[in-house]
Coordinates of all heavy atoms in Angstrom, one line a residue:
N590 N -60.0 38.3 206.1 CA -58.8 38.3 205.4 C -57.9 39.4 205.9 O -58.2 40.6 205.9 CB -59.1 38.6 203.9 CG -57.9 38.9 203.1 OD1 -56.7 38.6 203.5 ND2 -58.0 39.5 201.9
P591 N -56.7 39.0 206.5 CA -55.8 40.1 207.0 C -55.1 40.8 205.9 O -53.9 40.9 205.9 CB -54.9 39.3 207.9 CG -54.9 37.9 207.4 CD -56.2 37.7 206.7
Y592 N -55.9 41.3 204.9 CA -55.5 42.1 203.8 C -54.5 41.4 202.9 O -53.6 42.1 202.2 CB -54.8 43.4 204.4 CG -55.7 44.1 205.5 CD1 -55.4 43.9 206.8 CD2 -56.7 44.9 205.1 CE1 -56.2 44.4 207.8 CE2 -57.5 45.5 206.1 CZ -57.2 45.3 207.4 OH -58.0 45.8 208.4
N602 N -52.8 52.0 207.5 CA -52.3 52.0 208.9 C -53.3 52.7 209.8 O -54.5 52.9 209.5 CB -50.9 52.7 209.0 CG -50.0 52.0 209.9 OD1 -50.4 51.7 211.1 ND2 -48.8 51.8 209.6
R603 N -52.9 53.0 211.1 CA -53.8 53.4 212.1 C -54.1 54.8 212.3 O -53.2 55.7 212.1 CB -53.3 52.8 213.5 CG -53.3 51.3 213.5 CD -52.6 50.7 214.7 NE -52.8 49.2 214.7 CZ -52.0 48.4 213.9 NH1 -51.1 48.9 213.1 NH2 -52.2 47.1 213.9
N622 N -59.8 48.1 215.0 CA -58.5 47.6 215.6 C -58.4 48.2 216.9 O -57.6 49.2 217.2 CB -57.3 48.0 214.7 CG -56.1 47.3 215.0 OD1 -55.1 47.9 215.5 ND2 -56.0 46.0 214.9
L627 N -58.2 51.1 211.5 CA -57.1 50.5 210.7 C -57.4 50.3 209.2 O -58.5 49.9 209.0 CB -56.7 49.1 211.3 CG -55.6 48.3 210.6 CD1 -54.2 49.0 210.7 CD2 -55.5 46.9 211.2
H628 N -56.5 50.7 208.4 CA -56.6 50.3 207.0 C -57.9 50.7 206.3 O -58.5 49.8 205.5 CB -56.2 48.9 206.8 CG -54.8 48.5 207.0 ND1 -53.8 49.4 206.9 CD2 -54.2 47.3 207.4 CE1 -52.6 48.8 207.2 NE2 -52.9 47.5 207.5
H702 N -50.7 45.6 200.3 CA -50.5 44.8 201.5 C -50.1 43.3 201.1 O -50.7 42.4 201.8 CB -51.7 44.8 202.4 CG -51.5 44.7 203.8 ND1 -51.0 43.5 204.4 CD2 -51.6 45.5 204.9 CE1 -50.9 43.6 205.7 NE2 -51.2 44.8 206.0
Y704 N -48.1 39.9 201.2 CA -47.3 39.2 202.2 C -46.3 38.3 201.4 O -46.7 37.4 200.7 CB -48.1 38.2 203.1 CG -49.0 38.8 204.1 CD1 -50.1 39.6 203.8 CD2 -48.8 38.6 205.4 CE1 -50.9 40.1 204.7 CE2 -49.6 39.0 206.4 CZ -50.7 39.8 206.1 OH -51.5 40.3 207.0
L734 N -50.1 50.7 219.1 CA -49.4 50.9 217.8 C -49.7 52.2 217.2 O -49.6 52.4 215.9 CB -49.7 49.7 216.8 CG -49.3 48.3 217.3 CD1 -49.5 47.3 216.2 CD2 -47.9 48.3 217.8
G770 N -45.1 45.6 219.2 CA -45.5 45.1 217.8 C -45.6 43.6 217.8 O -46.0 43.1 216.7
D774 N -43.7 45.5 213.4 CA -45.0 46.0 212.9 C -44.9 47.5 213.0 O -45.6 48.1 213.7 CB -46.2 45.4 213.7 CG -47.5 45.7 213.0 OD1 -47.5 46.4 212.0 OD2 -48.5 45.1 213.5
H775 N -43.9 48.1 212.3 CA -43.5 49.5 212.5 C -43.3 50.2 211.2 O -43.0 49.5 210.2 CB -42.2 49.5 213.4 CG -42.4 49.0 214.8 ND1 -42.3 47.6 215.0 CD2 -42.5 49.6 215.9 CE1 -42.5 47.5 216.3 NE2 -42.6 48.7 216.9
Q811 N -43.7 50.4 206.2 CA -44.1 49.6 207.3 C -43.6 48.2 207.1 O -43.9 47.6 206.0 CB -45.6 49.6 207.5 CG -46.2 48.7 208.7 CD -46.4 49.5 209.9 OE1 -46.2 50.7 210.0 NE2 -46.9 48.9 211.0
L812 N -42.7 47.7 207.9 CA -42.4 46.2 207.8 C -43.2 45.5 208.9 O -43.2 45.8 210.1 CB -40.9 46.0 208.2 CG -40.5 44.6 208.4 CD1 -40.6 43.7 207.2 CD2 -39.0 44.5 208.9
Y813 N -44.0 44.6 208.3 CA -44.9 43.8 209.2 C -44.5 42.3 209.0 O -44.5 41.9 207.8 CB -46.4 44.1 208.8 CG -47.3 43.1 209.5 CD1 -47.4 42.9 210.9 CD2 -48.2 42.3 208.7 CE1 -48.3 42.0 211.4 CE2 -49.1 41.4 209.3 CZ -49.1 41.2 210.6 OH -49.9 40.3 211.2
F817 N -49.5 38.3 213.4 CA -50.9 37.9 213.7 C -51.3 36.6 213.0 O -52.4 36.1 213.2 CB -51.9 39.0 213.5 CG -51.6 40.2 214.3 CD1 -51.3 41.4 213.7 CD2 -51.6 40.1 215.7 CE1 -51.1 42.6 214.5 CE2 -51.4 41.2 216.5 CZ -51.1 42.5 215.9
L818 N -50.5 36.1 212.0 CA -50.8 34.9 211.4 C -50.7 33.8 212.4 O -49.7 33.6 213.1 CB -49.9 34.6 210.2 CG -49.9 35.6 209.0 CD1 -48.8 35.2 208.0 CD2 -51.3 35.6 208.4
C837 N -44.7 41.9 205.0 CA -45.2 43.0 204.2 C -44.2 44.1 204.2 O -43.6 44.4 205.3 CB -46.5 43.4 204.7 SG -47.8 42.2 204.9
E839 N -44.9 47.8 203.3 CA -46.0 48.7 202.9 C -45.5 50.1 202.8 O -45.2 50.7 203.9 CB -47.1 48.6 203.9 CG -47.6 47.2 204.2 CD -48.4 47.1 205.6 OE1 -49.2 47.9 205.9 OE2 -48.0 46.2 206.3
Q841 N -45.7 54.0 202.5 CA -46.8 54.8 203.0 C -46.3 56.1 203.7 O -45.1 56.3 203.9 CB -47.7 54.0 204.0 CG -46.9 53.5 205.2 CD -47.7 52.5 206.0 OE1 -47.9 52.8 207.2 NE2 -48.1 51.4 205.5
Ligands
LIG488 C1 -50.9 45.9 209.2 C2 -50.8 46.3 210.6 C3 -50.7 45.1 211.4 C4 -51.8 44.1 211.1 C5 -51.8 43.8 209.6 C6 -52.9 42.8 209.3 O1 -49.7 45.7 208.6 O2 -49.8 47.2 210.9 O3 -50.8 45.4 212.7 O4 -53.1 44.7 211.4 O5 -51.8 44.9 208.9 O6 -53.1 41.8 210.1

Side-chain angles (χ1 to χ4, degrees):
N590 171 14
Y592 313 98
N602 220 314
R603 292 172 177 77
N622 188 247
L627 177 67
H628 290 337
H702 210 296
Y704 289 65
L734 300 186
D774 191 355
H775 295 79
Q811 181 95 359
L812 166 65
Y813 168 59
F817 297 119
L818 296 176
C837 305
E839 308 158 48
Q841 56 188 245

